[in-house]
Amino acid sequence: MHQAELTLDPAFKVAPVRRRTFGTFVEHLGRCVYTGIHEPDHPSADDDGFRRDVLDLTRELGVSTVRYPGGNFVSGYRWEDGIGPVAERPRRLDLAWHSTETNEVGVDEFVRWCRKAGVEPMMALNLGTRGIAEALDLLEYCNHPSGTTLSDLRVANGSKEPHGIRMWCLGNEMDGRWQTGHKTAREYGRLAAETARAMRTMDRNLELVACGSSGSGMPTFGAWEATVLEETYDVVDFISCHAYYEEKDGDLGSFLACSTDMEYFISSVVATADHVGARLKSSKRIDISFDEWNVWYLSRFHGAEPPTDWPVAPPLLEDHYHLADAVAFGGLLITLLRNSDRVTAASLAQLVNVIAPIMTEPGGRAWRQTTFHPFAQASRHAAGDVLRVEPVSPSYETKEYGEVPLLHAVATHTEEGTTLFAVNRSTDAPLSLKIDTRALGGARIVEATTLTDADVYARNTADAPDRIVPRPNPDVEHDPARVLLPPVSWNVIRLA
């Protein structure tokens, strides 16, 4: 058995909990939209064709924002295709995912779905094959009340009130050669800056996200952020980060420590942004929108045979997550919360079917994947202020990241109580965690749950949707506060 301890103190404040940390992502990719959120013939479909079972699970998940419509898809997207009478909308080839896009769902339907789900829409712009004029047209269509051709068109299409979208992404992954309309950092930075200036002329209260690197392993990482921010620093609010992780060659120890790379990614981008700000003698601070993150077995996608046809909503990237995936996923969530002073928005990619916490059957059932539970618990219980937690923990050696602590943790605090989120990365032994609560007036553990299983590769399925769910942790002591964390586990401990 391993031994660890940590101290909880409300004076160790990092930042307020950011509700936008619990954002997700809906892209026109595979079955995320069609037979995901939208399936008019489904028994649970409402009058707008949205699956009520998926809406219920989205609310249960605790989603705050949803980024739309891509992703790689957006770099070839004509937003006008998705408005007006559905029967008259064009069908287009989607180059990003080698599919046919029917455009049955567009911006008006998406915003309508957001209102039903109780989430904030976050819109991405096509700066791959399009530019400033098309971005301004979409902004006018979405946000101007009425009295212009485009705003009146929105009203005529059934949306009398403006959509009021505040957060806009200036393109997607423009550093990647896979991106339609890929650009150099200088080319993209100039276009993003001019688009942002024009958009702010129309609406000065927008929040704008410049494209950062598609991953910390990109050859242009660091230099890309520096160049883009040199062009855009005064006209954007965020720089984006994207990161995906998977277990490679059976190296479970490194996989469970993948949040180490996310920490490096965040600290590097913060340092670069602050350096650019200092060079520009600006008092402004650029925050991070970590608007794509997840466990994704990308190697399986790259190893698949390329398609030869152009299907509508084919099953793509439908990873089925096991317990170890959920624990690594929980570690990434902890890292996002630990960096809430600079990561003020994030989007789990994606919401339904496509590397997602929610899975559906066409015409049938919907269920929660293992990764659903850490996200839902963190969204439900993280409130007030994020507290800095520095555990005293044993370490272990990993192939990818060197020496890494067995315990990864963060806490949040309100006047009503404190919640500790913790991952035990050990693959072979439980970890006895002693919690110093003296600064909390001797608060006691009132609830402790754990997500674990004897089989770290156990999954939830439509037939067994509750194989992996959070369960009460029976190994709790109150004085002093102590809890036993099983090996390979995600844990939530509430104190009051």
Side-chain angles (χ1 to χ4, degrees):
M1 181 186 298
H2 304 291
Q3 305 284 334
E5 58 184 76
L6 56 78
T7 298
L8 297 178
D9 190 328
F12 298 165
K13 176 181 173 181
V14 175
V17 173
R18 316 286 187 174
R19 286 308 306 163
R20 281 179 171 170
T21 299
F22 303 104
T24 60
F25 181 24
V26 166
E27 180 172 6
H28 286 254
L29 192 180
R31 298 194 309 114
C32 188
V33 174
Y34 307 118
T35 72
I37 67 170
H38 187 262
E39 190 176 357
D41 295 331
H42 192 272
S44 76
D46 65 15
D47 292 342
D48 292 311
F50 297 122
R51 288 184 58 150
R52 288 190 179 94
D53 54 352
V54 173
L55 277 167
D56 289 342
L57 287 170
T58 300
R59 297 185 194 104
E60 182 186 337
L61 188 61
V63 175
S64 58
T65 62
V66 176
R67 181 171 173 249
Y68 175 87
N72 295 347
F73 171 82
V74 79
S75 290
Y77 182 53
R78 299 172 174 93
W79 69 268
E80 312 94 300
D81 289 349
I83 63 172
V86 173
E88 299 175 12
R89 297 179 187 179
R91 294 164 68 94
R92 303 279 190 188
L93 296 182
D94 168 26
L95 303 184
W97 303 109
H98 213 276
S99 306
T100 296
E101 173 54 49
T102 66
N103 287 300
E104 295 169 65
V105 171
V107 61
D108 294 322
E109 288 83 8
F110 170 68
V111 171
R112 199 173 303 134
W113 179 86
C114 286
R115 303 293 184 248
K116 294 177 185 228
V119 303
E120 175 191 1
M122 175 182 176
M123 188 65 61
L125 295 166
N126 177 356
L127 293 188
T129 59
R130 309 190 97 181
I132 301 170
E134 293 87 353
L136 291 173
D137 285 349
L138 179 56
L139 176 60
E140 181 181 326
Y141 181 88
C142 288
N143 284 10
H144 194 70
S146 62
T148 67
T149 298
L150 288 170
S151 60
D152 287 346
L153 181 58
R154 184 200 68 246
V155 174
N157 287 335
S159 298
K160 181 179 179 181
E161 298 301 320
H163 293 328
I165 300 171
R166 309 316 312 163
M167 199 168 183
W168 296 75
C169 301
L170 302 170
N172 175 76
E173 293 187 353
M174 300 308 298
D175 63 326
R177 293 192 176 275
W178 58 85
Q179 200 70 214
T180 306
H182 159 71
K183 294 171 175 59
T184 67
R186 190 66 66 187
E187 290 168 342
Y188 167 71
R190 288 291 305 278
L191 176 59
E194 295 308 321
T195 304
R197 289 188 182 96
M199 293 177 72
R200 290 197 185 281
T201 301
M202 188 181 299
D203 187 342
R204 67 181 64 184
N205 296 315
L206 300 178
E207 298 176 67
L208 303 180
V209 185
C211 288
S213 292
S214 305
S216 63
M218 292 294 289
T220 55
F221 176 56
W224 174 275
E225 281 79 4
T227 301
V228 168
L229 286 174
E230 285 172 5
E231 298 287 348
T232 63
Y233 199 93
D234 291 336
V235 291
V236 302
D237 305 283
F238 301 86
I239 186 83
S240 71
C241 294
H242 292 180
Y244 296 100
Y245 302 94
E246 63 179 302
E247 182 182 347
K248 300 173 183 175
D249 302 321
D251 185 1
L252 180 59
S254 291
F255 177 50
L256 293 174
C258 63
S259 59
T260 305
D261 176 76
M262 182 183 265
E263 289 273 7
Y264 160 75
F265 198 166
I266 292 169
S267 62
S268 299
V269 173
V270 166
T272 302
D274 289 350
H275 173 68
V276 173
R279 284 178 52 201
L280 297 175
K281 298 180 172 56
S282 174
S283 60
K284 178 181 178 179
R285 189 183 76 171
I286 298 292
D287 287 333
I288 290 175
S289 175
F290 217 118
D291 48 40
E292 287 189 33
W293 69 273
N294 204 348
V295 172
W296 176 14
Y297 285 83
L298 189 59
S299 58
R300 297 174 188 164
F301 173 66
H302 286 159
E305 288 292 323
T308 57
D309 56 355
W310 298 85
V312 174
L316 293 174
L317 315 186
E318 297 195 5
D319 285 357
H320 292 266
Y321 293 119
H322 47 61
L323 171 69
D325 294 328
V327 174
F329 178 103
L332 298 172
L333 260 177
I334 287 170
T335 296
L336 292 172
L337 284 167
R338 285 174 62 91
N339 289 278
S340 293
D341 54 333
R342 297 304 291 267
V343 180
T344 58
S347 301
L348 166 65
Q350 294 189 16
L351 178 64
V352 190
N353 291 326
V354 179
I355 54 172
I358 300 170
M359 293 297 295
T360 70
E361 295 172 331
R365 298 167 290 184
W367 69 95
R368 305 164 189 83
Q369 291 230 64
T370 59
T371 55
F372 183 100
H373 299 293
F375 191 102
Q377 286 191 301
S379 180
R380 185 182 312 121
H381 295 301
D385 294 325
V386 178
L387 302 185
R388 188 169 304 284
V389 173
E390 300 298 342
V392 178
S393 164
S395 298
Y396 71 110
E397 191 67 26
T398 68
K399 181 179 178 180
E400 283 199 56
Y401 308 113
E403 192 171 315
V404 176
L406 288 174
L407 178 63
H408 189 39
V410 71
T412 66
H413 174 75
T414 68
E415 291 184 0
E416 288 71 38
T418 304
T419 302
L420 177 67
F421 305 97
V423 161
N424 178 11
R425 294 166 168 154
S426 173
T427 59
D428 57 10
L431 187 147
S432 178
L433 174 60
K434 179 181 178 182
I435 307 170
D436 186 336
T437 63
R438 286 174 293 180
L440 300 175
R444 296 163 58 89
I445 297 173
V446 296
E447 182 184 36
T449 63
T450 187
L451 189 76
T452 193
D453 195 271
D455 179 3
V456 297
Y457 298 111
R459 294 171 167 85
N460 294 340
T461 65
D463 293 326
D466 297 324
R467 167 69 190 272
I468 306 295
V469 296
R471 304 187 191 280
N473 188 331
D475 296 308
V476 173
E477 299 176 17
H478 294 287
D479 191 19
R482 189 185 298 272
V483 61
L484 192 66
L485 311 183
V488 190
S489 63
W490 156 266
N491 302 270
V492 179
I493 300 108
R494 297 176 58 225
L495 304 100

